[in-house]
Amino acid sequence: MSQIRIAVDADNMLGRQFSELERQNLAFAVMQACNATAFDIRQQWEATAGRVFDQPTRMTQRAAQYRKATKSKLFAEVYLRDEASNGTPPAKYLLPQVDGGTRRKKGFEVLLQQRGAMPPGMFAVAGDGADLDQFGNVRPRQVSQILSQLGARQDALQNQTDTSKARRRSKRRRGGEYFALQVQRGKLRPGIYERIATAWGSAVRSVFIFTRAANYTPRYNIFGLAQRAWDKLMPFHFNRELSKALETSKYRGRS
């Protein structure tokens, strides 16, 4: 579940009877109130993302969307964006932050497991030697290099061959040689490592560490935010929109 529906039962909410003129304008007032409340909730979700997450990406920051109510559909919907032109939709990667629990496997993790580079049932988390972007994520370029060297790219033509590896070694003296460990080797935990050349020989640094669990604690309580916003804002918006509708109503003055 990644959306909520904003609707209103005017009779129960206000606890009073409506005049004939008010009832003639009720549907329009409900529609406008639903849209105003949904907009406010979306704004709150967006602002909360900026506080909860450390340097959220633009897609995460603007993941909250809403569909307006209409005269024939007297409810609005607020939801997490469930599509993305490139990458994972926010609805998929944010829900574990909302509900808690184990996160979904990422695309590159699936490819690593299909190749046999990562054992089944495990997840890859960034290691100390990962090249992170400003949002704390491993840079796509490094992920792509790892998949290519380990032969895990979906497009086989993009995987490195022995010839291309040798050619790259002759051109570069430092870094870029990745290998995977499925089991503990000495002090090295299961994961993906980069072999680098140093003035004293060579060394390795962890790029990804394999772990059995990648659990999230709920911290993005969008549904609780929505409920509190509805309780506070819906009566205000409804009364305001009904008053505005009555002032300009075509039924005004009719018996």
Side-chain angles (χ1 to χ4, degrees):
M1 177 182 175
S2 60
Q3 70 176 31
I4 61 167
R5 178 171 292 185
I6 307 298
V8 58
D9 182 342
D11 288 322
N12 290 332
M13 183 177 69
L14 298 180
R16 68 175 179 83
Q17 297 296 314
F18 293 97
S19 67
E20 183 63 24
L21 180 60
E22 287 176 325
R23 287 201 172 275
Q24 289 169 333
N25 291 275
L26 203 56
F28 181 78
V30 168
M31 179 188 74
Q32 294 290 82
C34 286
N35 289 337
T37 303
F39 177 82
D40 287 342
I41 290 175
R42 186 194 68 171
Q43 295 297 94
Q44 288 191 19
W45 284 12
E46 184 174 314
T48 301
R51 295 192 299 269
V52 169
F53 304 115
D54 182 24
Q55 295 182 309
T57 63
R58 183 180 179 88
M59 182 176 289
T60 297
Q61 187 82 40
R62 299 190 174 183
Q65 306 286 314
Y66 80 105
R67 300 184 187 95
K68 288 186 175 183
T70 66
K71 290 182 180 180
S72 60
K73 181 178 71 74
L74 291 177
F75 59 85
E77 294 171 316
V78 187
Y79 62 97
L80 294 176
R81 184 176 173 185
D82 56 5
E83 51 81 25
S85 58
N86 184 26
T88 305
K92 286 188 176 182
Y93 66 75
L94 284 178
L95 277 182
Q97 306 284 357
V98 176
D99 299 327
T102 303
R103 70 162 169 82
R104 294 171 179 262
K105 276 194 168 51
K106 299 178 180 179
F108 81 91
E109 292 173 321
V110 174
L111 293 174
L112 288 174
Q113 288 189 338
Q114 290 175 346
R115 178 63 179 172
M118 184 169 73
M122 301 195 82
F123 298 84
V125 297
D128 293 337
D131 183 13
L132 304 180
D133 61 19
Q134 69 268 35
F135 305 112
N137 302 314
V138 180
R139 294 184 186 277
R141 179 181 178 183
Q142 187 171 40
V143 174
S144 180
Q145 289 174 341
I146 290 170
L147 294 175
S148 179
Q149 288 191 32
L150 297 181
R153 293 292 293 270
Q154 286 181 311
D155 184 351
L157 296 177
Q158 294 180 327
N159 291 323
Q160 286 193 6
T161 64
D162 291 339
T163 301
S164 62
K165 288 180 181 178
R167 186 183 305 118
R168 188 173 56 77
R169 288 194 190 101
S170 68
K171 291 182 179 179
R172 295 181 59 190
R173 300 181 60 186
R174 295 181 57 85
E177 297 295 334
Y178 299 101
F179 63 94
L181 295 179
Q182 287 76 39
V183 296
Q184 183 106 8
R185 181 184 297 176
K187 294 183 179 181
L188 299 181
R189 299 166 57 189
I192 295 175
Y193 293 83
E194 182 183 17
R195 183 178 288 108
I196 58 175
T198 70
W200 303 275
S202 64
V204 297
R205 54 189 177 193
S206 62
V207 180
F208 286 106
I209 297 297
F210 299 155
T211 179
R212 285 287 177 189
N215 296 323
Y216 291 116
T217 299
R219 57 174 177 158
Y220 189 37
N221 186 18
I222 55 176
F223 301 121
L225 284 172
Q227 183 62 57
R228 291 191 293 273
W230 192 97
D231 292 341
K232 179 181 180 180
L233 298 174
M234 178 57 81
F236 165 76
H237 286 309
F238 177 77
N239 282 315
R240 185 187 65 178
E241 295 301 330
L242 183 58
S243 296
K244 288 165 59 177
L246 293 177
E247 290 175 1
T248 59
S249 174
K250 64 181 179 180
Y251 301 106
R252 191 176 183 86
R254 295 185 183 181
S255 56

